[in-house]
Amino acid sequence: MDLKSILSSVLDDVYLPNEYPALAALEAEWTEKRPFEGLRLLVATPIYRNSMTQYRALLAGGATLLVGLSGMNDRGVVEFLMDSGVSVVTCDEMLEAESR
């Protein structure tokens, strides 16, 4: 199962598209246009279950995700993402990678 499907299996039981209309519209558009195809995107926002609607839209657009870990996160969601194969990095890891 691909990551977008894994996120959908969690999100579709919790949220309806009318609860995140902008991201639902972008996901539909990006599924067709794939504007992030071949790009690795860093998402550095607090990590909570509803953050996965953003991740799913970016994946629909062809992005490979790199999620930045900060002090404000839902640890269960972070562990779920890591177990699902999402690269989750700390600020220090991001700075080190940037310097290379």
Side-chain angles (χ1 to χ4, degrees), residues 48-83:
Y48 294 98
R49 183 171 43 194
N50 63 351
S51 304
M52 292 190 291
T53 58
Q54 176 188 22
Y55 306 156
R56 186 172 64 180
L58 292 168
L59 289 166
T64 299
L65 292 182
L66 178 64
V67 176
L69 189 60
S70 69
M72 299 180 61
N73 306 293
D74 179 320
R75 190 71 202 155
V77 174
V78 171
E79 290 173 8
F80 172 80
L81 292 171
M82 293 170 75
D83 290 345

PDB file of all heavy atoms in Angstrom, residues 48-83:
ATOM      1  N   TYR A  48       0.178  16.843  13.762  1.00  0.00           N
ATOM      2  CA  TYR A  48      -1.024  16.319  14.394  1.00  0.00           C
ATOM      3  C   TYR A  48      -1.790  15.511  13.358  1.00  0.00           C
ATOM      4  O   TYR A  48      -1.450  15.533  12.173  1.00  0.00           O
ATOM      5  CB  TYR A  48      -1.898  17.465  14.936  1.00  0.00           C
ATOM      6  CG  TYR A  48      -1.227  18.203  16.071  1.00  0.00           C
ATOM      7  CD1 TYR A  48      -0.553  19.398  15.849  1.00  0.00           C
ATOM      8  CD2 TYR A  48      -1.256  17.687  17.356  1.00  0.00           C
ATOM      9  CE1 TYR A  48       0.084  20.060  16.886  1.00  0.00           C
ATOM     10  CE2 TYR A  48      -0.614  18.351  18.401  1.00  0.00           C
ATOM     11  CZ  TYR A  48       0.045  19.526  18.165  1.00  0.00           C
ATOM     12  OH  TYR A  48       0.681  20.176  19.188  1.00  0.00           O
ATOM     13  N   ARG A  49      -2.824  14.825  13.795  1.00  0.00           N
ATOM     14  CA  ARG A  49      -3.579  13.990  12.858  1.00  0.00           C
ATOM     15  C   ARG A  49      -4.107  14.795  11.677  1.00  0.00           C
ATOM     16  O   ARG A  49      -4.007  14.372  10.532  1.00  0.00           O
ATOM     17  CB  ARG A  49      -4.724  13.260  13.570  1.00  0.00           C
ATOM     18  CG  ARG A  49      -5.461  12.333  12.629  1.00  0.00           C
ATOM     19  CD  ARG A  49      -6.455  11.444  13.314  1.00  0.00           C
ATOM     20  NE  ARG A  49      -7.233  12.165  14.310  1.00  0.00           N
ATOM     21  CZ  ARG A  49      -7.973  11.576  15.220  1.00  0.00           C
ATOM     22  NH1 ARG A  49      -8.048  10.273  15.273  1.00  0.00           N
ATOM     23  NH2 ARG A  49      -8.663  12.285  16.078  1.00  0.00           N
ATOM     24  N   ASN A  50      -4.629  15.997  11.933  1.00  0.00           N
ATOM     25  CA  ASN A  50      -5.162  16.781  10.819  1.00  0.00           C
ATOM     26  C   ASN A  50      -4.063  17.262   9.869  1.00  0.00           C
ATOM     27  O   ASN A  50      -4.345  17.647   8.742  1.00  0.00           O
ATOM     28  CB  ASN A  50      -6.033  17.932  11.306  1.00  0.00           C
ATOM     29  CG  ASN A  50      -5.286  18.954  12.127  1.00  0.00           C
ATOM     30  OD1 ASN A  50      -4.131  18.774  12.496  1.00  0.00           O
ATOM     31  ND2 ASN A  50      -5.965  20.044  12.439  1.00  0.00           N
ATOM     32  N   SER A  51      -2.798  17.237  10.303  1.00  0.00           N
ATOM     33  CA  SER A  51      -1.678  17.586   9.408  1.00  0.00           C
ATOM     34  C   SER A  51      -1.590  16.606   8.249  1.00  0.00           C
ATOM     35  O   SER A  51      -1.090  16.942   7.173  1.00  0.00           O
ATOM     36  CB  SER A  51      -0.351  17.553  10.169  1.00  0.00           C
ATOM     37  OG  SER A  51      -0.379  18.386  11.292  1.00  0.00           O
ATOM     38  N   MET A  52      -2.087  15.393   8.465  1.00  0.00           N
ATOM     39  CA  MET A  52      -2.006  14.376   7.423  1.00  0.00           C
ATOM     40  C   MET A  52      -2.860  14.718   6.207  1.00  0.00           C
ATOM     41  O   MET A  52      -2.601  14.224   5.114  1.00  0.00           O
ATOM     42  CB  MET A  52      -2.355  13.000   7.986  1.00  0.00           C
ATOM     43  CG  MET A  52      -1.308  12.500   8.969  1.00  0.00           C
ATOM     44  SD  MET A  52      -1.487  10.778   9.452  1.00  0.00           S
ATOM     45  CE  MET A  52      -2.983  10.818  10.413  1.00  0.00           C
ATOM     46  N   THR A  53      -3.854  15.619   6.348  1.00  0.00           N
ATOM     47  CA  THR A  53      -4.605  16.061   5.165  1.00  0.00           C
ATOM     48  C   THR A  53      -3.693  16.858   4.238  1.00  0.00           C
ATOM     49  O   THR A  53      -3.775  16.734   3.017  1.00  0.00           O
ATOM     50  CB  THR A  53      -5.838  16.902   5.559  1.00  0.00           C
ATOM     51  OG1 THR A  53      -5.431  18.039   6.324  1.00  0.00           O
ATOM     52  CG2 THR A  53      -6.840  16.074   6.356  1.00  0.00           C
ATOM     53  N   GLN A  54      -2.802  17.651   4.826  1.00  0.00           N
ATOM     54  CA  GLN A  54      -1.815  18.400   4.040  1.00  0.00           C
ATOM     55  C   GLN A  54      -0.833  17.439   3.372  1.00  0.00           C
ATOM     56  O   GLN A  54      -0.516  17.583   2.192  1.00  0.00           O
ATOM     57  CB  GLN A  54      -1.069  19.367   4.951  1.00  0.00           C
ATOM     58  CG  GLN A  54       0.045  20.120   4.268  1.00  0.00           C
ATOM     59  CD  GLN A  54       0.890  20.919   5.255  1.00  0.00           C
ATOM     60  OE1 GLN A  54       0.924  20.633   6.447  1.00  0.00           O
ATOM     61  NE2 GLN A  54       1.580  21.913   4.744  1.00  0.00           N
ATOM     62  N   TYR A  55      -0.343  16.475   4.120  1.00  0.00           N
ATOM     63  CA  TYR A  55       0.622  15.512   3.568  1.00  0.00           C
ATOM     64  C   TYR A  55       0.004  14.746   2.396  1.00  0.00           C
ATOM     65  O   TYR A  55       0.653  14.528   1.377  1.00  0.00           O
ATOM     66  CB  TYR A  55       1.084  14.512   4.624  1.00  0.00           C
ATOM     67  CG  TYR A  55       1.650  15.114   5.890  1.00  0.00           C
ATOM     68  CD1 TYR A  55       1.643  14.395   7.067  1.00  0.00           C
ATOM     69  CD2 TYR A  55       2.189  16.401   5.928  1.00  0.00           C
ATOM     70  CE1 TYR A  55       2.165  14.922   8.239  1.00  0.00           C
ATOM     71  CE2 TYR A  55       2.704  16.939   7.099  1.00  0.00           C
ATOM     72  CZ  TYR A  55       2.683  16.188   8.250  1.00  0.00           C
ATOM     73  OH  TYR A  55       3.193  16.706   9.404  1.00  0.00           O
ATOM     74  N   ARG A  56      -1.245  14.345   2.558  1.00  0.00           N
ATOM     75  CA  ARG A  56      -1.909  13.576   1.495  1.00  0.00           C
ATOM     76  C   ARG A  56      -2.056  14.417   0.231  1.00  0.00           C
ATOM     77  O   ARG A  56      -1.843  13.916  -0.874  1.00  0.00           O
ATOM     78  CB  ARG A  56      -3.270  13.059   1.975  1.00  0.00           C
ATOM     79  CG  ARG A  56      -3.931  12.132   0.969  1.00  0.00           C
ATOM     80  CD  ARG A  56      -5.155  11.480   1.522  1.00  0.00           C
ATOM     81  NE  ARG A  56      -6.182  12.463   1.823  1.00  0.00           N
ATOM     82  CZ  ARG A  56      -7.366  12.159   2.323  1.00  0.00           C
ATOM     83  NH1 ARG A  56      -7.691  10.899   2.570  1.00  0.00           N
ATOM     84  NH2 ARG A  56      -8.247  13.088   2.574  1.00  0.00           N
ATOM     85  N   ALA A  57      -2.387  15.695   0.378  1.00  0.00           N
ATOM     86  CA  ALA A  57      -2.496  16.570  -0.793  1.00  0.00           C
ATOM     87  C   ALA A  57      -1.144  16.713  -1.492  1.00  0.00           C
ATOM     88  O   ALA A  57      -1.060  16.653  -2.721  1.00  0.00           O
ATOM     89  CB  ALA A  57      -3.033  17.941  -0.378  1.00  0.00           C
ATOM     90  N   LEU A  58      -0.078  16.881  -0.723  1.00  0.00           N
ATOM     91  CA  LEU A  58       1.254  17.003  -1.314  1.00  0.00           C
ATOM     92  C   LEU A  58       1.679  15.713  -2.011  1.00  0.00           C
ATOM     93  O   LEU A  58       2.265  15.750  -3.093  1.00  0.00           O
ATOM     94  CB  LEU A  58       2.274  17.398  -0.238  1.00  0.00           C
ATOM     95  CG  LEU A  58       2.098  18.804   0.335  1.00  0.00           C
ATOM     96  CD1 LEU A  58       2.955  18.990   1.582  1.00  0.00           C
ATOM     97  CD2 LEU A  58       2.410  19.858  -0.709  1.00  0.00           C
ATOM     98  N   LEU A  59       1.362  14.585  -1.409  1.00  0.00           N
ATOM     99  CA  LEU A  59       1.662  13.294  -2.050  1.00  0.00           C
ATOM    100  C   LEU A  59       0.888  13.143  -3.351  1.00  0.00           C
ATOM    101  O   LEU A  59       1.422  12.632  -4.341  1.00  0.00           O
ATOM    102  CB  LEU A  59       1.322  12.143  -1.101  1.00  0.00           C
ATOM    103  CG  LEU A  59       2.238  11.986   0.100  1.00  0.00           C
ATOM    104  CD1 LEU A  59       1.613  11.059   1.126  1.00  0.00           C
ATOM    105  CD2 LEU A  59       3.609  11.482  -0.335  1.00  0.00           C
ATOM    106  N   ALA A  60      -0.363  13.597  -3.357  1.00  0.00           N
ATOM    107  CA  ALA A  60      -1.172  13.537  -4.581  1.00  0.00           C
ATOM    108  C   ALA A  60      -0.530  14.340  -5.695  1.00  0.00           C
ATOM    109  O   ALA A  60      -0.657  14.005  -6.870  1.00  0.00           O
ATOM    110  CB  ALA A  60      -2.585  14.043  -4.314  1.00  0.00           C
ATOM    111  N   GLY A  61       0.201  15.393  -5.312  1.00  0.00           N
ATOM    112  CA  GLY A  61       0.885  16.229  -6.279  1.00  0.00           C
ATOM    113  C   GLY A  61       2.230  15.692  -6.710  1.00  0.00           C
ATOM    114  O   GLY A  61       2.941  16.338  -7.465  1.00  0.00           O
ATOM    115  N   GLY A  62       2.597  14.521  -6.215  1.00  0.00           N
ATOM    116  CA  GLY A  62       3.837  13.888  -6.639  1.00  0.00           C
ATOM    117  C   GLY A  62       5.019  14.110  -5.728  1.00  0.00           C
ATOM    118  O   GLY A  62       6.130  13.675  -6.030  1.00  0.00           O
ATOM    119  N   ALA A  63       4.826  14.777  -4.601  1.00  0.00           N
ATOM    120  CA  ALA A  63       5.936  15.082  -3.694  1.00  0.00           C
ATOM    121  C   ALA A  63       6.413  13.849  -2.943  1.00  0.00           C
ATOM    122  O   ALA A  63       5.638  12.935  -2.663  1.00  0.00           O
ATOM    123  CB  ALA A  63       5.512  16.143  -2.679  1.00  0.00           C
ATOM    124  N   THR A  64       7.692  13.868  -2.616  1.00  0.00           N
ATOM    125  CA  THR A  64       8.249  12.973  -1.613  1.00  0.00           C
ATOM    126  C   THR A  64       8.366  13.818  -0.359  1.00  0.00           C
ATOM    127  O   THR A  64       8.917  14.923  -0.400  1.00  0.00           O
ATOM    128  CB  THR A  64       9.639  12.462  -2.039  1.00  0.00           C
ATOM    129  OG1 THR A  64       9.508  11.735  -3.254  1.00  0.00           O
ATOM    130  CG2 THR A  64      10.245  11.571  -0.973  1.00  0.00           C
ATOM    131  N   LEU A  65       7.818  13.317   0.755  1.00  0.00           N
ATOM    132  CA  LEU A  65       7.759  14.126   1.967  1.00  0.00           C
ATOM    133  C   LEU A  65       8.940  13.930   2.893  1.00  0.00           C
ATOM    134  O   LEU A  65       9.429  12.819   3.069  1.00  0.00           O
ATOM    135  CB  LEU A  65       6.494  13.794   2.763  1.00  0.00           C
ATOM    136  CG  LEU A  65       5.166  14.193   2.170  1.00  0.00           C
ATOM    137  CD1 LEU A  65       4.042  13.810   3.126  1.00  0.00           C
ATOM    138  CD2 LEU A  65       5.111  15.672   1.862  1.00  0.00           C
ATOM    139  N   LEU A  66       9.339  15.015   3.483  1.00  0.00           N
ATOM    140  CA  LEU A  66      10.278  15.048   4.591  1.00  0.00           C
ATOM    141  C   LEU A  66       9.577  15.912   5.637  1.00  0.00           C
ATOM    142  O   LEU A  66       9.261  17.072   5.369  1.00  0.00           O
ATOM    143  CB  LEU A  66      11.598  15.679   4.150  1.00  0.00           C
ATOM    144  CG  LEU A  66      12.683  15.848   5.191  1.00  0.00           C
ATOM    145  CD1 LEU A  66      13.152  14.486   5.704  1.00  0.00           C
ATOM    146  CD2 LEU A  66      13.850  16.611   4.598  1.00  0.00           C
ATOM    147  N   VAL A  67       9.295  15.346   6.801  1.00  0.00           N
ATOM    148  CA  VAL A  67       8.534  16.058   7.826  1.00  0.00           C
ATOM    149  C   VAL A  67       9.475  16.500   8.931  1.00  0.00           C
ATOM    150  O   VAL A  67      10.232  15.691   9.482  1.00  0.00           O
ATOM    151  CB  VAL A  67       7.407  15.158   8.380  1.00  0.00           C
ATOM    152  CG1 VAL A  67       6.670  15.846   9.514  1.00  0.00           C
ATOM    153  CG2 VAL A  67       6.428  14.801   7.267  1.00  0.00           C
ATOM    154  N   GLY A  68       9.437  17.787   9.239  1.00  0.00           N
ATOM    155  CA  GLY A  68      10.297  18.363  10.274  1.00  0.00           C
ATOM    156  C   GLY A  68       9.646  18.282  11.639  1.00  0.00           C
ATOM    157  O   GLY A  68       8.521  18.726  11.830  1.00  0.00           O
ATOM    158  N   LEU A  69      10.359  17.719  12.571  1.00  0.00           N
ATOM    159  CA  LEU A  69       9.878  17.518  13.931  1.00  0.00           C
ATOM    160  C   LEU A  69      10.200  18.751  14.778  1.00  0.00           C
ATOM    161  O   LEU A  69      11.324  19.239  14.769  1.00  0.00           O
ATOM    162  CB  LEU A  69      10.575  16.284  14.513  1.00  0.00           C
ATOM    163  CG  LEU A  69      10.116  15.738  15.840  1.00  0.00           C
ATOM    164  CD1 LEU A  69       8.651  15.324  15.773  1.00  0.00           C
ATOM    165  CD2 LEU A  69      10.972  14.552  16.229  1.00  0.00           C
ATOM    166  N   SER A  70       9.199  19.247  15.476  1.00  0.00           N
ATOM    167  CA  SER A  70       9.412  20.378  16.379  1.00  0.00           C
ATOM    168  C   SER A  70       8.939  19.963  17.764  1.00  0.00           C
ATOM    169  O   SER A  70       8.634  18.802  17.995  1.00  0.00           O
ATOM    170  CB  SER A  70       8.630  21.597  15.884  1.00  0.00           C
ATOM    171  OG  SER A  70       7.244  21.372  16.030  1.00  0.00           O
ATOM    172  N   GLY A  71       8.853  20.919  18.661  1.00  0.00           N
ATOM    173  CA  GLY A  71       8.420  20.612  20.020  1.00  0.00           C
ATOM    174  C   GLY A  71       6.916  20.419  20.146  1.00  0.00           C
ATOM    175  O   GLY A  71       6.439  19.916  21.142  1.00  0.00           O
ATOM    176  N   MET A  72       6.158  20.823  19.125  1.00  0.00           N
ATOM    177  CA  MET A  72       4.698  20.747  19.205  1.00  0.00           C
ATOM    178  C   MET A  72       4.196  19.664  18.256  1.00  0.00           C
ATOM    179  O   MET A  72       3.945  19.913  17.091  1.00  0.00           O
ATOM    180  CB  MET A  72       4.095  22.100  18.832  1.00  0.00           C
ATOM    181  CG  MET A  72       4.522  23.219  19.755  1.00  0.00           C
ATOM    182  SD  MET A  72       3.813  24.807  19.292  1.00  0.00           S
ATOM    183  CE  MET A  72       2.076  24.480  19.451  1.00  0.00           C
ATOM    184  N   ASN A  73       4.051  18.451  18.784  1.00  0.00           N
ATOM    185  CA  ASN A  73       3.645  17.337  17.951  1.00  0.00           C
ATOM    186  C   ASN A  73       2.820  16.348  18.748  1.00  0.00           C
ATOM    187  O   ASN A  73       2.928  16.265  19.962  1.00  0.00           O
ATOM    188  CB  ASN A  73       4.883  16.595  17.416  1.00  0.00           C
ATOM    189  CG  ASN A  73       5.843  17.499  16.706  1.00  0.00           C
ATOM    190  OD1 ASN A  73       5.539  18.029  15.658  1.00  0.00           O
ATOM    191  ND2 ASN A  73       7.009  17.712  17.303  1.00  0.00           N
ATOM    192  N   ASP A  74       2.030  15.583  18.032  1.00  0.00           N
ATOM    193  CA  ASP A  74       1.323  14.446  18.608  1.00  0.00           C
ATOM    194  C   ASP A  74       2.242  13.243  18.417  1.00  0.00           C
ATOM    195  O   ASP A  74       2.463  12.793  17.291  1.00  0.00           O
ATOM    196  CB  ASP A  74      -0.005  14.236  17.882  1.00  0.00           C
ATOM    197  CG  ASP A  74      -0.789  13.061  18.405  1.00  0.00           C
ATOM    198  OD1 ASP A  74      -0.182  12.015  18.707  1.00  0.00           O
ATOM    199  OD2 ASP A  74      -2.021  13.165  18.491  1.00  0.00           O
ATOM    200  N   ARG A  75       2.807  12.757  19.508  1.00  0.00           N
ATOM    201  CA  ARG A  75       3.806  11.675  19.435  1.00  0.00           C
ATOM    202  C   ARG A  75       3.251  10.440  18.732  1.00  0.00           C
ATOM    203  O   ARG A  75       3.971   9.770  17.988  1.00  0.00           O
ATOM    204  CB  ARG A  75       4.299  11.330  20.841  1.00  0.00           C
ATOM    205  CG  ARG A  75       5.482  10.411  20.844  1.00  0.00           C
ATOM    206  CD  ARG A  75       6.722  11.152  20.349  1.00  0.00           C
ATOM    207  NE  ARG A  75       7.674  10.175  19.865  1.00  0.00           N
ATOM    208  CZ  ARG A  75       8.611  10.401  18.976  1.00  0.00           C
ATOM    209  NH1 ARG A  75       8.753  11.580  18.447  1.00  0.00           N
ATOM    210  NH2 ARG A  75       9.421   9.463  18.587  1.00  0.00           N
ATOM    211  N   GLY A  76       1.974  10.126  18.939  1.00  0.00           N
ATOM    212  CA  GLY A  76       1.369   8.973  18.274  1.00  0.00           C
ATOM    213  C   GLY A  76       1.356   9.129  16.763  1.00  0.00           C
ATOM    214  O   GLY A  76       1.616   8.177  16.018  1.00  0.00           O
ATOM    215  N   VAL A  77       1.072  10.340  16.286  1.00  0.00           N
ATOM    216  CA  VAL A  77       1.059  10.603  14.845  1.00  0.00           C
ATOM    217  C   VAL A  77       2.481  10.538  14.294  1.00  0.00           C
ATOM    218  O   VAL A  77       2.718   9.974  13.221  1.00  0.00           O
ATOM    219  CB  VAL A  77       0.394  11.960  14.520  1.00  0.00           C
ATOM    220  CG1 VAL A  77       0.510  12.291  13.044  1.00  0.00           C
ATOM    221  CG2 VAL A  77      -1.068  11.944  14.953  1.00  0.00           C
ATOM    222  N   VAL A  78       3.443  11.079  15.042  1.00  0.00           N
ATOM    223  CA  VAL A  78       4.844  11.021  14.611  1.00  0.00           C
ATOM    224  C   VAL A  78       5.273   9.562  14.453  1.00  0.00           C
ATOM    225  O   VAL A  78       5.861   9.178  13.440  1.00  0.00           O
ATOM    226  CB  VAL A  78       5.768  11.760  15.605  1.00  0.00           C
ATOM    227  CG1 VAL A  78       7.232  11.509  15.280  1.00  0.00           C
ATOM    228  CG2 VAL A  78       5.461  13.250  15.610  1.00  0.00           C
ATOM    229  N   GLU A  79       4.951   8.737  15.432  1.00  0.00           N
ATOM    230  CA  GLU A  79       5.314   7.314  15.359  1.00  0.00           C
ATOM    231  C   GLU A  79       4.608   6.627  14.197  1.00  0.00           C
ATOM    232  O   GLU A  79       5.211   5.806  13.498  1.00  0.00           O
ATOM    233  CB  GLU A  79       4.984   6.628  16.682  1.00  0.00           C
ATOM    234  CG  GLU A  79       5.913   7.065  17.801  1.00  0.00           C
ATOM    235  CD  GLU A  79       5.518   6.526  19.163  1.00  0.00           C
ATOM    236  OE1 GLU A  79       4.599   5.687  19.253  1.00  0.00           O
ATOM    237  OE2 GLU A  79       6.147   6.955  20.151  1.00  0.00           O
ATOM    238  N   PHE A  80       3.345   6.957  13.974  1.00  0.00           N
ATOM    239  CA  PHE A  80       2.609   6.390  12.842  1.00  0.00           C
ATOM    240  C   PHE A  80       3.290   6.754  11.522  1.00  0.00           C
ATOM    241  O   PHE A  80       3.468   5.904  10.654  1.00  0.00           O
ATOM    242  CB  PHE A  80       1.157   6.888  12.845  1.00  0.00           C
ATOM    243  CG  PHE A  80       0.390   6.506  11.626  1.00  0.00           C
ATOM    244  CD1 PHE A  80      -0.141   5.233  11.488  1.00  0.00           C
ATOM    245  CD2 PHE A  80       0.209   7.412  10.588  1.00  0.00           C
ATOM    246  CE1 PHE A  80      -0.839   4.864  10.341  1.00  0.00           C
ATOM    247  CE2 PHE A  80      -0.488   7.063   9.448  1.00  0.00           C
ATOM    248  CZ  PHE A  80      -1.014   5.783   9.325  1.00  0.00           C
ATOM    249  N   LEU A  81       3.676   8.024  11.369  1.00  0.00           N
ATOM    250  CA  LEU A  81       4.337   8.463  10.141  1.00  0.00           C
ATOM    251  C   LEU A  81       5.657   7.723   9.938  1.00  0.00           C
ATOM    252  O   LEU A  81       5.946   7.236   8.844  1.00  0.00           O
ATOM    253  CB  LEU A  81       4.580   9.970  10.169  1.00  0.00           C
ATOM    254  CG  LEU A  81       3.346  10.858  10.094  1.00  0.00           C
ATOM    255  CD1 LEU A  81       3.725  12.311  10.353  1.00  0.00           C
ATOM    256  CD2 LEU A  81       2.635  10.708   8.760  1.00  0.00           C
ATOM    257  N   MET A  82       6.435   7.626  11.001  1.00  0.00           N
ATOM    258  CA  MET A  82       7.716   6.939  10.903  1.00  0.00           C
ATOM    259  C   MET A  82       7.517   5.461  10.551  1.00  0.00           C
ATOM    260  O   MET A  82       8.233   4.925   9.705  1.00  0.00           O
ATOM    261  CB  MET A  82       8.505   7.106  12.204  1.00  0.00           C
ATOM    262  CG  MET A  82       8.938   8.548  12.445  1.00  0.00           C
ATOM    263  SD  MET A  82       9.629   8.849  14.083  1.00  0.00           S
ATOM    264  CE  MET A  82      11.229   8.092  13.893  1.00  0.00           C
ATOM    265  N   ASP A  83       6.543   4.826  11.189  1.00  0.00           N
ATOM    266  CA  ASP A  83       6.248   3.420  10.896  1.00  0.00           C
ATOM    267  C   ASP A  83       5.753   3.238   9.463  1.00  0.00           C
ATOM    268  O   ASP A  83       5.887   2.154   8.889  1.00  0.00           O
ATOM    269  CB  ASP A  83       5.196   2.859  11.866  1.00  0.00           C
ATOM    270  CG  ASP A  83       5.719   2.707  13.278  1.00  0.00           C
ATOM    271  OD1 ASP A  83       6.964   2.749  13.477  1.00  0.00           O
ATOM    272  OD2 ASP A  83       4.889   2.552  14.196  1.00  0.00           O
TER     273      ASP A  83
END
